[in-house]
Amino acid sequence: MFSHERIIIRRGPESGLPIIVAVHSTALGQALGGCRLKPYADWRDGLADALRLSAAMTDKCALAGLPNGGGKTVIVGEHSPAALRDAGAVIEELGGTYATGPDIGTGPDDMVTIGERTSHVFCRPVAAGGSGDSSPGTAVGTVAALRAVCSDRFGSSSLAGRSFSVLGLGRVGGRVARLLAEAGSKLVVADVDPAKRALADDLGAGWVTPEEALTAAVDVVVPAALGGVLTPSSVAALRCAAVAGPANNQLDARATAGLLHERGILWAPDYVVSAGGVIAATAVELRHESPAQVTARLDGIADTLAGVFAAARRDGVTPSAAAAAEARRRVASPRG
Ligand SMILES: NC(=O)c1ccc[n+]([C@@H]2O[C@H](COP(=O)([O-])OP(=O)(O)OC[C@H]3O[C@@H](n4cnc5c(N)ncnc54)[C@H](O)[C@@H]3O)[C@@H](O)[C@H]2O)c1
């Protein structure tokens, strides 16, 4: 079903590259979604990503309780200031109905370049007037989500003594692992980058291969690297009680949520878990909130997840289906 409000596909006048901006929904307010820059083999693959990811942002913002909808920018090709300026010009044409931020292939510094053409841009470096890297907010929100998962699965939100396997020690996963270690959790961790082993040693965490991390006998597996880690075969091999992490698009297909449910493994929808970045950026840059207010909003992810788990139980559906239904309800009745 075609559900996007507006899609612009343009050959950038400065870069010659395909620039795609998809606005999925502004029903709740200005659409938000990062700028992905990637040398796709075919620009139509970039369009498919823009359509899918902008729709996912609508659900993410709705469940985060933000007065925002979903959008996405995709630049097809190699990184260059000209390509970023081209994207900025398209975003400016949308007149503030959509604002962008960093995503795969772009970072806070690139938002300054996009900002040469439009003011509708988030997460510029703090020195340039933005809120900077969003991963600290994403990490704090993820830990709030893990408390909700432990509360639902084990009857206590305490992280002390609980065991976690963190898959990917990047900007978000590395911070999540540190926060868990500080909370007294038992940790095993993995990353394809051997240099990350130093962090594991620093935290007193066990270092295992990515395959071992996914199938570790722990309370919660925390995917914090790439998407698509939950497949019929990987789900069959899981030995944890729950899976909850910030990695985007963890399920290879929607039906895999049913396989997790059948195995009695609690799965927290990734777009609820990873909303801390957009929550923090909008709280700081749009609403000028204090650090205490931002922290309270990030802690709110635990309440949102608890609501999703309760609705899933009440309706006899997976948390994935319950979250999607709640997002649809919120978008359909903006004031409800
Ligand atoms: N940064 C944010 O604010 C944010 C917000 C929402 C969602 N996310 C999602 O969270 C995930 C992590 O984001 P990030 O910003 O920390 O990225 P990052 O690139 O900083 O870190 C990813 C880490 O995963 C490792 N890795 C890659 N493939 C791996 C594999 N197969 N097994 C184990 N480790 C592997 C990399 O070496 C790297 O250390 C991504 O899926 C991202 O889309 C991030």
Side-chain angles (χ1 to χ4, degrees), residues 5-122:
E5 286 181 17
R6 192 156 179 199
I7 301 157
I8 299 180
I9 305 171
R10 164 95 36 94
R11 183 174 169 279
E14 281 195 57
S15 66
L17 295 179
I19 310 290
I20 301 162
V21 179
V23 177
H24 178 255
S25 171
T26 57
L28 294 180
Q30 182 185 47
L32 302 177
C35 175
R36 184 162 290 196
L37 192 154
K38 208 171 138 179
Y40 293 89
D42 188 314
W43 67 269
R44 280 161 285 216
D45 297 334
L47 174 62
D49 254 3
L51 297 179
R52 183 175 59 83
L53 295 165
S54 57
M57 279 305 294
T58 298
D59 288 354
K60 184 173 196 162
C61 289
L63 277 178
L66 297 175
N68 294 100
K72 201 80 186 178
T73 298
V74 170
I75 301 172
V76 181
E78 300 296 337
H79 187 280
S80 75
L84 296 166
R85 283 195 295 268
D86 281 338
V90 176
I91 293 162
E92 181 61 17
E93 269 176 46
L94 291 166
T97 52
Y98 163 72
T100 198
D103 191 64
I104 292 170
T106 61
D109 289 338
D110 297 323
M111 298 306 114
V112 176
T113 312
I114 291 177
E116 291 175 21
R117 294 286 185 271
T118 183
S119 59
H120 305 297
V121 57
F122 283 95

Side-chain angles (χ1 to χ4, degrees), residues 21-317:
V21 179
V23 177
H24 178 255
S25 171
T26 57
L28 294 180
Q30 182 185 47
L32 302 177
C35 175
R36 184 162 290 196
L37 192 154
K38 208 171 138 179
Y40 293 89
D42 188 314
W43 67 269
R44 280 161 285 216
D45 297 334
L47 174 62
D49 254 3
L51 297 179
R52 183 175 59 83
L53 295 165
S54 57
M57 279 305 294
T58 298
D59 288 354
K60 184 173 196 162
C61 289
L63 277 178
L66 297 175
N68 294 100
K72 201 80 186 178
T73 298
V74 170
I75 301 172
V76 181
E78 300 296 337
H79 187 280
S80 75
L84 296 166
R85 283 195 295 268
D86 281 338
V90 176
I91 293 162
E92 181 61 17
E93 269 176 46
L94 291 166
T97 52
Y98 163 72
T100 198
D103 191 64
I104 292 170
T106 61
D109 289 338
D110 297 323
M111 298 306 114
V112 176
T113 312
I114 291 177
E116 291 175 21
R117 294 286 185 271
T118 183
S119 59
H120 305 297
V121 57
F122 283 95
C123 299
R124 280 178 281 211
V126 175
S131 58
D133 181 9
S134 62
S135 44
T138 307
V140 170
T142 298
V143 173
L146 292 173
R147 289 188 191 282
V149 165
C150 289
S151 179
D152 193 88
R153 202 67 182 75
F154 309 113
S156 163
S157 62
S158 173
L159 301 172
R162 289 269 156 240
S163 55
F164 296 88
S165 174
V166 181
L167 189 54
L169 292 181
R171 289 173 299 173
V172 181
R175 287 185 169 89
V176 169
R178 186 170 292 282
L179 290 169
L180 290 173
E182 286 167 4
S185 307
K186 290 179 272 189
L187 287 178
V188 291
V189 297
D191 199 292
V192 286
D193 178 0
K196 297 289 162 72
R197 188 169 188 155
L199 175 60
D201 293 343
D202 189 35
L203 300 178
W207 176 258
V208 295
T209 66
E211 293 72 28
E212 288 166 341
L214 190 59
T215 57
V218 291
D219 292 325
V220 188
V221 166
V222 184
L226 305 178
V229 287
L230 299 173
T231 65
S233 66
S234 74
V235 167
L238 291 177
R239 291 190 294 156
C240 55
V243 179
N248 279 327
N249 303 317
Q250 290 164 27
L251 303 175
D252 67 333
R254 219 171 252 189
T256 305
L259 301 178
L260 286 154
H261 196 57
E262 281 164 23
R263 286 212 54 206
I265 297 169
L266 184 67
W267 181 67
D270 42 40
Y271 58 90
V272 181
V273 175
S274 70
V278 70
I279 288 174
T282 53
V284 172
E285 296 192 35
L286 282 186
R287 295 183 294 276
H288 311 291
E289 292 179 356
S290 68
Q293 285 171 307
V294 178
T295 304
R297 277 188 188 275
L298 295 175
D299 283 345
I301 289 177
D303 298 330
T304 305
L305 256 190
V308 165
F309 294 148
R313 246 192 308 278
R314 183 193 65 218
D315 299 338
V317 299

